[in-house]
Amino acid sequence: EPEVTQTPSHQVTQMGQEVILRCVPISNHLYFYWYRQILGQKVEFLVSFYNNEISEKSEIFDDQFSVERPDGSNFTLKIRSTKLEDSAMYFCASILAGGTNTGELFFGEGSRLTVL
Amino acid sequence: AQTVTQSQPEMSVQEAETVTLSCTYDTSESDYYLFWYKQPPSRQMILVIRQEAYKQQNATENRFSVNFQKAAKSFSLKISDSQLGDAAMYFCGFTGGFKTIFGAGTRLFVKA
């Protein structure tokens, strides 16, 4: 069964360092998302991406965050200068858009980011 | 603005019993989907059940069913014959357009 894959599963970084989290969405999906979950808290929407550009972003997604789809398969989230409060689980998700769209998000297993 | 509210941070149920998790939402959209996702300790969120807003009939998936009250903007999840494997965080989600937002979650404990 197709699935969303994320790497790394866990990354530890020093405050101020740049981090890139990678995702491979399901191949025929057209919308891609990043969500963030601070430990034990709600899953927060960060950004949605369609047709090689951001379609919507939340107030959390400030200038230190960026996303791109560098090739036909990967979808990345970059945090330029990490802060302690960026420590969280980051989930990538994708959705099939079009005639058979059911609205269901398919999630990856997440990348845990720890900022020291 | 769209919001999703889960008013129960934690719930507990005896194995084989029934439990209902509450969810309310607010939106001005007329066409949307509602979801319940389960997040077990292994972390990945998986879909439990889905409801299209235009459908009046409540969705059912085996032991899971919803009570969708569109006018009241309420979307509760009922788990029948609870099993130990049902223990997890449950997130209510709203999809309008192509963005899904989630409530704060309800942690379900299942007692043997």
Side-chain angles (χ1 to χ4, degrees):
Chain A
E1 186 174 323
E3 58 181 17
V4 176
T5 58
Q6 290 185 240
T7 55
S9 57
H10 188 195
Q11 181 156 358
V12 181
T13 190
Q14 294 291 323
M15 191 168 55
Q17 295 297 303
E18 176 182 284
V19 162
I20 297 177
L21 305 179
R22 291 181 169 80
C23 170
V24 179
I26 295 173
S27 61
N28 63 336
H29 286 190
L30 299 178
Y31 274 79
F32 315 116
Y33 302 82
W34 283 102
Y35 285 84
R36 179 181 82 175
Q37 185 182 30
I38 295 170
L39 184 63
Q41 298 185 25
K42 73 185 294 183
V43 178
E44 300 173 294
F45 168 77
L46 290 179
V47 66
S48 60
F49 191 86
Y50 172 72
N51 199 27
N52 287 319
E53 60 183 26
I54 291 173
S55 52
E56 193 165 353
K57 61 182 180 180
S58 72
E59 62 276 7
I60 302 169
F61 195 87
D62 61 22
D63 291 345
Q64 70 158 342
F65 291 92
S66 62
V67 289
E68 64 174 1
R69 198 148 192 250
D71 51 42
S73 58
N74 289 285
F75 177 52
T76 62
L77 174 69
K78 181 191 292 185
I79 310 174
R80 286 189 187 78
S81 178
T82 51
K83 297 178 281 199
L84 295 177
E85 54 265 37
D86 293 328
S87 294
M89 183 73 82
Y90 289 82
F91 290 101
C92 175
S94 66
I95 196 169
L96 174 67
T100 57
N101 178 41
T102 62
E104 178 186 352
L105 278 170
F106 291 81
F107 284 89
E109 291 193 347
S111 293
R112 179 171 295 286
L113 176 65
T114 302
V115 182
L116 303 176
Chain B
Q2 297 155 351
T3 59
V4 178
T5 302
Q6 294 179 250
S7 58
Q8 305 153 316
E10 294 182 354
M11 290 286 284
S12 184
V13 63
Q14 199 72 35
E15 198 176 6
E17 297 294 310
T18 296
V19 65
T20 299
L21 308 184
S22 301
C23 174
T24 58
Y25 61 95
D26 192 19
T27 183
S28 57
E29 301 206 25
S30 58
D31 188 19
Y32 52 89
Y33 296 93
L34 295 161
F35 301 88
W36 280 95
Y37 285 87
K38 173 184 178 181
Q39 187 182 37
S42 64
R43 309 174 312 183
Q44 186 176 23
M45 290 174 66
I46 53 178
L47 180 69
V48 174
I49 197 165
R50 164 184 48 239
Q51 174 82 41
E52 292 89 341
Y54 64 85
K55 288 187 177 179
Q56 292 186 335
Q57 187 173 6
N58 290 323
T60 299
E61 287 286 341
N62 301 313
R63 297 182 297 108
F64 299 88
S65 62
V66 299
N67 183 5
F68 175 45
Q69 302 289 327
K70 190 171 183 178
K73 296 191 170 89
S74 170
F75 182 62
S76 60
L77 173 70
K78 185 171 83 170
I79 306 174
S80 304
D81 186 25
S82 297
Q83 300 174 358
L84 295 177
D86 295 333
M89 280 291 283
Y90 287 81
F91 291 96
C92 178
F94 168 96
T95 299
F98 290 103
K99 183 178 82 172
T100 299
I101 59 172
F102 295 95
T106 297
R107 183 170 297 282
L108 180 66
F109 297 94
V110 182
K111 295 185 262 189

